[in-house]
Amino acid sequence: MVIVQPLRRRIRSLAVVSLLLAVTALVLGPVPSSAAESNWWDPSARPAPDSQINVTGEPFKGTDAQGRVRGFVDAHDHIMSNEGFGGRLICGKPFSEQGVTDALKDCPEHYPDGSLAIFDMITKGGDGKHDPNGWPTFKDWPAHDSLTHQQNYYAWIERAWRGGQRVLVNDLVTNGVICSVYFFKDRSCDEMTAIRLEAKKTYDMQAFVDKMYGGPGKGWFRIVTNSAQARKVIEQGKLAVVLGVETSEPFGCKQILDVAQCSKEDIDRGLDELKELGVSSMFLCHKFDNALCGVRFDSGTLGTAINVGQFLSTGTFWKTETCRGPQHDNPIGNAAAPEAEKRLPKGVAVPSYASGAQCNTRGLTDLGAYAVRGMMKRNMMLELDHMSVKAADQAFGILESESYPGAISSHSWMDLSWTERLYKLGGFAAQYMSGSEAFSAEAKRTDALREKYKVGYGYGTDMNGVGGWPAPRGGDTPNPVKYPFRSTDGGSVIDKQTAGERTWDFNTDGGAHYGMVPDWIEDIRNVGGQGVVDDLFSGAESYLRTWGNSEKYQAGKNLAAGAAATASSSEWWNPAVSFKPGKAVDGDTGTRWASEWNDDQWLRIDLGSAQPVKRVTLDWERAYAKSYRVELSEDGTNWKTVWSTASGDGGLDTARFAGAQARYVRVKALERGTQWGYSLQEVGVYAD
């Protein structure tokens, strides 16, 4: 979440806008249509009155000369968050059968002047007072710094599609604790109930758009459940809508006093239900530590408020430690949040945190690892944002051990130093919708990586996500958005967006609502250059490539399973428990090989015959090797080192190298990472 600056507006008259649009049509003129049916992109029965789109020209269809889809991808949006959090946190709806006057109106408690807009006060500061009227005046909302009002009205999303966006990830979102402590609600706080409702409403919105175009399947808003469907939709020139989930306690997997409140059976049932709903990607934790993983902290006053919610939900506050590597979570800080802290029980206070301890002690739990593997089994994509660095590192380890590419960082909440690790895996990255200067600078910082891995880029608008959006750069900026302008593909002309009596200008209004996405991209072109926009325009293809490769995933055959194993030594201290070498290849992570307590040790695996070997996975118990190497041999006598490290940190390691023929695989441990010996729960050997 972002603290945003006060909004400055410049109201232009509707007459002037209409005149400019007419002149534009005569002077610039849209590219001639190649469609068989005339104006297929215009509905035959739009509600009246309604918001204008203010885009002319045919949306582009098809692929480029190399068969790649074109277009932008928003990897993180919340169309239906007004249905979550008890139904009264985000005011207004993305569509209504009763029309815009019903959809774009404020919450009842915000009338007459916003005095009871409690969440507005918490997120924006001040007294929360504002003009609650939406349609037709829109005096105070939507706005780039108004975090409690609808930004995803369907016509504004339509404008973004007309401006070149071709993929939109709609993350179904809620938070049971925020719902329970908020004063106003009109429904249950159960998270899965809210997720089901938001999924239903998304399908209802698809039907609402279809109706305007003549019936089922004819509208531009198309929910897709696999990458092939998405490609087909985009080739038709329409918007592929992907369902994701971002919630704090998926499947009821909260933890209370460090005790999980869910089981593996709950996870399997939950994942199966999400697949049935059409969900293709999800977060395992968000804001609060849960039974699956620890979270990446929020900072400042907001962080303190969320930490209070963490306590109310779990009975524990966040716990920190010094980070083990260069990656770190957001610093918590010790900022006060008086209104939130009033909700703590008498005698309980938010702890102080050392400035040097910036990592969550909680990582990925055993249940969390089970959920990751469950998602892989169902070809779902895992969202790494919001995971603590410890949890994300462990999740990366699982994905890398299986060569599973379905990893997403959708809105700048993953430690940025892991971007190459993500790309190397085959994953996809998008950046939070920040101001054009900051967005362009970050895009250029990672430009060499995208070139190296031949990938495009995305953005995560996080609209309706209570985060704050690009502030206006001002009408006097030296490189403003000049209206009208052409879309990136060159086929459409985009003018200022008008709804009712209000016309928005990106220069003076910033990212006020979803319809301003094309204007923001034009601002990026002015500030960051065409190269940044070109990378964004190839984002849809890269996102679909990650998704498609995830769908093709099949677990590789473990050549080491049940193989003969020998070792330099085996620990013996309990006659009832065996730590012999074969325990590292028995397929049971509850058993392990353990060596004697000195540095120079080895474990050797006989594959039975010479086979191609390209990948070795090592699942270390707490007694791990800081320095070790992987060696191959065809005869058991002559060894070749194919991979080594001097900075092992335990957990699940994957050694990947150029393929070689080998009958024997040896893990040669050189230096211990602990006071004990070496202990491996499982070793995997793969040909891929």
Side-chain angles (χ1 to χ4, degrees), residues 215-406:
K218 295 188 177 182
W220 52 268
F221 186 93
R222 312 304 319 151
I223 299 170
V224 296
T225 57
N226 59 60
S227 63
Q229 286 179 357
R231 289 184 180 278
K232 183 177 180 180
V233 164
I234 296 169
E235 287 171 4
Q236 294 171 346
K238 299 181 179 182
L239 179 68
V241 179
V242 184
L243 296 185
V245 167
E246 182 183 40
T247 189
S248 294
E249 297 166 359
F251 329 127
C253 282
K254 68 184 302 177
Q255 56 92 6
I256 299 176
L257 298 176
D258 299 323
V259 177
Q261 304 298 300
C262 69
S263 64
K264 291 180 178 179
E265 291 74 21
D266 293 323
I267 292 169
D268 283 329
R269 279 195 298 270
L271 287 173
D272 286 342
E273 180 181 6
L274 292 182
K275 284 293 289 185
E276 185 69 23
L277 289 173
V279 171
S280 299
S281 63
M282 73 173 296
F283 294 76
L284 291 183
C285 50
H286 177 241
K287 298 305 180 185
F288 304 146
D289 297 334
N290 63 24
L292 305 177
C293 51
V295 294
R296 187 170 172 85
F297 308 130
D298 280 83
S299 299
T301 299
L302 180 61
T304 300
I306 292 175
N307 202 6
V308 169
Q310 155 97 9
F311 180 85
L312 296 175
S313 173
T314 69
T316 60
F317 290 105
W318 287 328
K319 299 175 184 177
T320 64
E321 64 184 6
T322 302
C323 302
R324 296 168 63 176
Q327 293 80 22
H328 59 81
D329 294 320
N330 297 321
I332 298 176
N334 296 299
E339 292 302 316
E341 292 175 82
K342 288 178 183 177
R343 295 189 168 275
L344 291 171
K346 186 176 180 180
V348 176
V350 178
S352 296
Y353 294 93
S355 60
Q358 293 189 3
C359 278
N360 195 334
T361 60
R362 301 176 192 270
L364 196 68
T365 67
D366 289 343
L367 283 174
Y370 184 82
V372 171
R373 295 186 184 279
M375 291 180 66
M376 293 163 57
K377 179 180 177 181
R378 295 164 177 81
N379 306 106
M380 298 173 73
M381 293 178 285
L382 174 66
E383 291 270 10
L384 293 162
D385 288 4
H386 289 299
M387 279 187 175
S388 68
V389 293
K390 181 180 285 189
D393 184 37
Q394 293 167 313
F396 264 123
I398 293 173
L399 300 175
E400 290 163 344
S401 73
E402 299 284 351
S403 295
Y404 189 79

Side-chain angles (χ1 to χ4, degrees), residues 53 65 112 118 121 134 147 149 156-157 165 198 299 325 332 398 403 422 462 504 523 542 556-557 564 649 658 684:
I53 308 302
I118 307 299
M121 301 178 203
L147 311 188
H149 294 97
W156 301 338
I157 297 175
Q165 187 170 301
E198 291 181 38
S299 299
I332 298 176
I398 293 173
S403 295
L422 181 81
D462 203 17
W504 282 271
D523 202 45
S542 287
K557 180 182 178 182
D649 59 0

Side-chain angles (χ1 to χ4, degrees), residues 391-617:
D393 184 37
Q394 293 167 313
F396 264 123
I398 293 173
L399 300 175
E400 290 163 344
S401 73
E402 299 284 351
S403 295
Y404 189 79
I408 304 290
S409 174
S410 62
H411 66 328
S412 302
W413 269 79
M414 180 187 74
D415 190 290
L416 293 175
S417 66
W418 271 337
T419 303
E420 182 164 19
R421 191 176 182 182
L422 181 81
Y423 285 153
K424 188 179 293 185
L425 191 61
F428 180 79
Q431 186 187 160
Y432 187 86
M433 185 186 179
S434 58
S436 304
E437 298 97 331
F439 188 96
S440 298
E442 174 57 25
K444 290 178 180 179
R445 188 190 71 81
T446 54
D447 182 66
L449 282 178
R450 290 194 297 280
E451 177 62 28
K452 177 179 179 180
Y453 291 96
K454 306 300 180 187
V455 294
Y457 204 34
Y459 48 82
T461 63
D462 203 17
M463 291 281 183
N464 285 4
V466 197
W469 296 275
R473 293 197 298 122
D476 57 352
T477 185
N479 52 351
V481 173
K482 296 179 180 179
Y483 295 93
F485 59 88
R486 279 199 179 276
S487 58
T488 300
D489 67 293
S492 296
V493 176
I494 302 169
D495 211 322
K496 294 177 184 177
Q497 196 276 319
T498 295
E501 299 170 10
R502 180 73 189 277
T503 296
W504 282 271
D505 181 330
F506 190 82
N507 302 301
T508 53
D509 293 320
H513 60 69
Y514 209 93
M516 305 306 289
V517 168
D519 313 57
W520 172 68
I521 291 171
E522 176 68 4
D523 202 45
I524 288 174
R525 188 186 68 80
N526 292 340
V527 171
Q530 187 63 41
V532 178
V533 176
D534 289 344
D535 275 4
L536 289 172
F537 200 64
S538 59
E541 171 63 33
S542 287
Y543 179 88
L544 295 181
R545 195 180 306 146
T546 292
W547 192 4
N549 288 337
S550 302
E551 293 167 327
K552 297 173 186 174
Y553 163 76
Q554 291 183 336
K557 180 182 178 182
N558 181 5
L559 305 176
T566 54
S568 55
S569 68
S570 294
E571 184 181 352
W572 187 93
W573 58 272
N574 184 346
V577 180
S578 171
F579 299 108
K580 292 182 179 180
K583 296 298 182 181
V585 291
D586 64 357
D588 183 357
T589 57
T591 64
R592 60 190 174 95
W593 164 69
S595 77
E596 294 179 347
W597 292 17
N598 43 60
D599 283 337
D600 194 8
Q601 302 285 338
W602 52 264
L603 174 74
R604 186 177 71 173
I605 300 168
D606 182 355
L607 303 180
S609 62
Q611 302 188 55
V613 176
K614 197 172 184 179
R615 175 169 53 101
V616 174
T617 63

